[in-house]
Amino acid sequence: MPDAVEIKISIVRVVGSPFCVSIDDGHLLHDRITRVLDAGNFVELSFDGVKRLTTAFLNASMGQLYNEYTEEQIRQCVRIVEASQDSLRLIKRVVDNAKRFFADPVRAGEQLKKLIEDE
């Protein structure tokens, strides 16, 4: 990618709020990220100003990337900046779960079904 550039995406600007909690907002961010990646560029994902962050938002925005790109592509092309330690821990948990799920979605679905039935 010799002509690739790094595009900074402000999550607060995309969402329009410091509260990153909804799945719909996660989809907005996901679409922005994929447009940049599909154009052959790099993403600098800024968490500056984020006050609240949920797994639902992260699953829809970042977790879904693991269904569309390889782990290596994501590692090379997406950089997270200006995130709190709490946000980084939550991101890591979502990413780990997404990698496991998309590696074997049938097994993950069966495990989820069993969890639901057990409750």
Side-chain angles (χ1 to χ4, degrees):
M1 289 194 256
D3 295 330
V5 295
E6 185 171 77
I7 307 294
K8 184 174 188 172
I9 298 176
S10 166
I11 294 173
V12 170
R13 278 203 189 120
V14 171
V15 172
S17 165
F19 303 102
C20 303
V21 297
S22 81
I23 292 171
D24 289 340
D25 287 341
H27 289 302
L28 286 174
L29 179 59
H30 171 267
D31 292 346
R32 182 76 58 91
I33 293 168
T34 57
R35 280 197 306 268
V36 172
L37 295 177
D38 290 347
N41 294 307
F42 300 97
V43 172
E44 181 181 82
L45 197 53
S46 173
F47 282 77
D48 186 41
V50 172
K51 302 284 186 223
R52 178 111 165 110
L53 187 64
T54 65
T55 55
F57 174 84
L58 290 171
N59 281 326
S61 59
M62 297 181 68
Q64 196 57 234
L65 295 174
Y66 288 85
N67 188 37
E68 301 159 333
Y69 305 95
T70 67
E71 182 178 353
E72 186 64 25
Q73 288 172 306
I74 295 167
R75 187 179 301 119
Q76 287 179 356
C77 298
V78 179
R79 187 164 64 102
I80 295 169
V81 298
E82 303 167 317
S84 70
Q85 288 302 312
D86 287 341
S87 293
L88 290 173
R89 280 191 286 276
L90 195 57
I91 292 164
K92 181 178 179 351
R93 187 171 39 175
V94 165
V95 165
D96 289 347
N97 287 338
K99 288 191 288 191
R100 259 193 315 277
F101 179 83
F102 291 116
D104 190 356
V106 172
R107 182 169 179 255
E110 289 169 355
Q111 290 174 335
L112 180 60
K113 182 179 175 186
K114 183 173 176 2
L115 280 172
I116 291 169
E117 289 170 352
D118 289 346
E119 297 208 359

